Amino acid sequence: MTYSSRVMAPRHRLALALIGGLLAVRLLVVLVSPLELYADEAQYWRWGQTLDWGYYSKPPMIAWVIRSSTSLFGDSEAAIRLLAPVLHSLAAGMLYLLSRQMFGVRAGLITLVAYLLMPGIVLSSTIISTDGVLFPFWCAALYLFWQLREGRAGWGQTLALGAAIGFGFLSKYAILYFGIGIALTALIDAPTRRAVISPKGAGVLAMALLILTPHIIWNIANAFETVGHTVDNASLGGDLFNLENIPKYIGDQMGVFGPVSFIGLIAGLVFMRGGRADTVATRENWLACFIVPVLVIILFQSVLSRAHANWAATAYPAACVLIGSVFVRANPSQRLWVIVAVITAAALQVVPEFTAPTRLIIGLCVAAALLAAGYLSNWRPAGLFWSGIGLHLALTAVMATLMLGPASWTGALGLDNSFKRTRGWQDLANQLALEAERRRPSAILVDEREIWHGIDYYARGRLPAPLILWRGGGAAKSFAEKVPLTDAIDDQVLIASYRPNYRPIIAAEFGQFTASGRIGVDLGFRSNGCPLVRELRLYTASDYAQLTLKERAARKFNGKTLDARPPCPPLAGDTTSNE
């Protein structure tokens, strides 16, 4: 055994220990978490009850993953989420292998920790999401594509690369960004170009097409509804060029990747390009092809309309590898530490869940802690990275405590609004099931997609009538709207309405429409003191006749409400009305 292998072996064992240890902790958190499913998770579970090659708004992989775990462990929340931390652990392992090969073991450990303790991954490891299902395939494809570029990939790894891309496509259409990365690397890098334009490159394409073809056929047979939803999700029909969204976009990305990691990423991409060795420059530029396009495209999407924080998530696997190189090769810099401390403190001032004084105190404390750590570490950049990870760990500990503790703890910190989507569903479903059992309606009609999925999961097997989501007009716009309300079941409909602005239209579509009570759950308070209530107004209705879009326009329902709760000023970034 050589000296280098003796030195490296303990670091490899450390990497395995980190992956295994965090996986064990995260599995435990999933098993004991009291948080209920949020609506998207309940929707994915429902898809998994009937396996198919596609669904209304997403490719099929997430439904298959949930079906595999629930088939073994039942339909509990824990069983539905069980594979989320496992998938992220697999992704982390692939990134470690890639970073170690590109930049060495020290960089590999930074990459591994950056991924596993990235705020977005910490959250994603406790829920089941399409990003979590995509990432192991994305990271495997990134590693295998580098192997192909380096000439190390035999036909087994070549076909595995095609399979990773194909299964990634079945996980989330964001895999298309990987295709952009392949094209850009082939454009700027001769070895990559030779690998792509080769029999093995053709083999990758053939394997990917073989795997995704059934999904394409499914889309053709279903009027491309999954593709159509993805296009609709861009929401480009409103006002364009919303430059005021740029600060929020940057803040969101710092929140997803971590403030120190994000600043290190920007430094590596923009400010630290000079003085690199040729080999390092080539490899960092190669990685940038999988990072920059995603960040830029989602930035433009944010300016043109809107962008959720996780839409740029596929930039960050390669970003974790790149910052492994950046923090290893950077020189000590007090100025860098000060800049990071100031930017991090400023970013914390836009967190809407906290009051302004709380944000200011947290920001100053974090900045002071970073500067103190910088002084103690002689302003070394690697120390800056580990200080950022310490910030992530502190945040993770706080959020885990709040997640596992009683609801009163989040209320005391003004964070009820952050947890509302994962609370109160079982209680609400129990109330509605009791009302339905007492009234014995011919159908139960709700007017909000999240309510439909929450009730569908938590009242499963207990409703005496079909649960139907009211269509806002035209064809179905979501999976929950698949089943329409028809004349055959409109004899005595129980309406459980969440949206006061929909109620005048719904009332106009029934010959008989009578208020008959309300049900609801208290979810705490917003940070501004307004109560959070998930309330359903109950109505008994019959003689249904759907209005056409032309009839609705003629009756001028815009701006009208029925039985609305007193208004409560919304928080920044919060679009809900009743809650």
Side-chain angles (χ1 to χ4, degrees):
M1 180 181 290
T2 65
Y3 172 76
S4 60
S5 64
R6 288 197 305 271
V7 171
M8 291 168 63
R11 290 178 175 171
H12 298 334
R13 290 195 292 270
L14 176 59
L16 289 174
L18 285 170
I19 295 172
L22 279 174
L23 174 59
V25 170
R26 286 170 175 170
L27 286 173
L28 180 62
V29 169
V30 166
L31 291 173
V32 303
S33 172
L35 297 184
E36 298 170 342
L37 300 183
Y38 70 95
D40 286 348
E41 290 178 297
Q43 174 180 244
Y44 303 148
W45 165 82
R46 172 51 66 190
W47 293 350
Q49 303 305 295
T50 306
L51 296 182
D52 209 337
W53 280 100
Y55 299 92
Y56 174 78
S57 60
K58 295 289 187 298
M61 184 61 71
I62 191 164
W64 297 355
V65 167
I66 290 175
R67 179 63 174 269
S68 66
S69 60
T70 55
S71 295
L72 295 173
F73 304 108
D75 291 319
S76 68
E77 294 96 332
I80 291 170
R81 294 167 170 161
L82 190 64
L83 290 180
V86 176
L87 295 173
H88 280 302
S89 297
L90 294 173
M94 300 307 299
L95 290 182
Y96 172 73
L97 293 176
L98 175 62
S99 184
R100 184 189 70 179
Q101 191 174 106
M102 295 180 91
F103 304 113
V105 179
R106 282 183 61 207
L109 288 174
I110 289 177
T111 293
L112 179 64
V113 174
Y115 183 86
L116 287 174
L117 294 179
M118 188 194 314
I121 299 302
V122 171
L123 174 62
S124 185
S125 296
T126 63
I127 61 175
I128 191 73
S129 68
T130 50
D131 286 329
V133 173
L134 168 64
F135 273 16
F137 298 115
W138 181 286
C139 296
L142 198 63
Y143 170 73
L144 292 168
F145 188 43
W146 179 255
Q147 297 294 100
L148 185 67
R149 185 261 187 201
E150 291 288 277
R152 297 191 181 101
W155 274 104
Q157 286 190 323
T158 297
L159 296 179
L161 171 58
I165 294 172
F167 287 126
F169 195 94
L170 295 182
S171 301
K172 192 173 184 179
Y173 291 158
I175 194 68
L176 294 174
Y177 293 128
F178 198 91
I180 296 175
I182 291 176
L184 289 177
T185 54
L187 183 65
I188 69 170
D189 182 59
T192 301
R193 187 162 55 251
R194 287 193 295 268
V196 170
I197 307 173
S198 70
K200 287 184 178 179
V204 171
L205 179 62
M207 177 59 76
L209 288 174
L210 178 65
I211 290 172
L212 63 89
T213 293
H215 176 63
I216 295 175
I217 294 173
W218 180 92
N219 259 296
I220 293 172
N222 289 273
F224 291 95
E225 64 178 23
T226 304
V227 176
H229 170 82
T230 302
V231 174
D232 292 341
N233 216 22
S235 297
L236 296 179
D239 295 333
L240 302 181
F241 304 109
N242 303 285
L243 296 177
E244 68 277 6
N245 288 347
I246 293 178
K248 181 180 183 300
Y249 169 78
I250 295 173
D252 285 345
Q253 300 317 304
M254 293 178 71
V256 170
F257 196 41
V260 174
S261 295
F262 188 78
I263 296 169
L265 172 64
I266 300 303
L269 290 172
V270 180
F271 302 110
M272 295 176 58
R273 297 177 62 80
R276 297 177 296 174
D278 290 343
T279 301
V280 171
T282 297
R283 295 177 178 188
E284 289 189 0
N285 290 339
W286 192 90
L287 290 168
C289 293
F290 294 92
I291 302 169
V292 175
V294 182
L295 294 177
V296 171
I297 289 170
I298 303 303
L299 172 61
F300 274 105
Q301 166 66 28
S302 175
V303 171
L304 291 176
S305 175
R306 65 186 176 94
H308 294 305
N310 71 311
W311 284 5
T314 50
Y316 296 125
C320 288
V321 180
L322 190 143
I323 66 169
S325 171
V326 168
F327 282 109
V328 166
R329 67 180 175 82
N331 296 317
S333 172
Q334 181 180 5
R335 181 183 178 187
L336 176 62
W337 280 81
V338 172
I339 292 173
V340 170
V342 171
I343 293 177
T344 302
L348 289 170
Q349 303 313 300
V350 299
V351 179
E353 285 79 4
F354 294 115
T355 62
T358 302
R359 292 196 294 265
L360 181 60
I361 292 172
I362 293 175
L364 291 175
C365 290
V366 168
L370 283 173
L371 293 176
Y375 176 79
L376 294 174
S377 64
N378 294 320
W379 312 109
R380 289 193 299 270
L384 179 59
F385 170 77
W386 293 111
S387 296
I389 293 301
L391 178 61
H392 297 180
L393 285 172
L395 176 63
T396 299
V398 170
M399 296 307 294
T401 301
L402 294 175
M403 183 175 71
L404 300 176
S408 59
W409 291 0
T410 58
L413 294 176
L415 294 176
D416 286 331
N417 195 59
S418 300
F419 287 83
K420 67 184 180 185
R421 294 185 68 196
T422 57
R423 288 175 174 167
W425 293 111
Q426 185 68 71
D427 189 1
L428 188 70
N430 291 343
Q431 294 180 51
L432 184 60
L434 288 174
E435 289 288 341
E437 185 64 32
R438 180 173 65 86
R439 301 169 187 242
R440 308 299 297 182
S442 59
I444 302 167
L445 184 71
V446 298
D447 57 5
E448 164 60 39
R449 184 190 70 87
E450 291 198 4
I451 299 295
W452 190 93
H453 284 295
I455 299 299
D456 176 57
Y457 176 76
Y458 283 102
R460 60 190 183 279
R462 295 189 291 140
L463 296 179
L467 180 67
I468 297 174
L469 179 61
W470 175 72
R471 289 185 177 181
K477 296 182 177 64
S478 72
F479 173 83
E481 290 184 6
K482 284 289 190 180
V483 179
L485 184 67
T486 65
D487 295 341
I489 55 175
D490 76 339
D491 178 49
Q492 191 76 2
V493 178
L494 172 61
I495 297 173
S497 172
Y498 177 78
R499 296 290 183 185
N501 55 316
Y502 291 171
R503 292 170 195 157
I505 309 174
I506 296 174
E509 292 187 329
F510 285 91
Q512 300 292 325
F513 187 87
T514 306
S516 58
R518 71 181 75 177
I519 59 176
V521 290
D522 294 327
L523 300 173
F525 294 88
R526 298 168 182 254
S527 59
N528 61 6
C530 290
L532 289 164
V533 179
R534 184 178 296 132
E535 180 182 87
L536 302 181
R537 294 287 182 128
L538 304 180
Y539 303 88
T540 301
S542 59
D543 302 327
Y544 173 72
Q546 185 179 34
L547 297 176
T548 65
L549 295 178
K550 185 176 181 180
E551 289 171 332
R552 291 185 186 183
R555 298 183 66 163
K556 299 179 180 179
F557 288 108
N558 287 344
K560 294 183 179 180
T561 62
L562 177 64
D563 296 332
R565 290 173 53 82
C568 184
L571 295 173
D574 184 16
T575 58
T576 57
S577 57
N578 292 25
E579 294 178 20

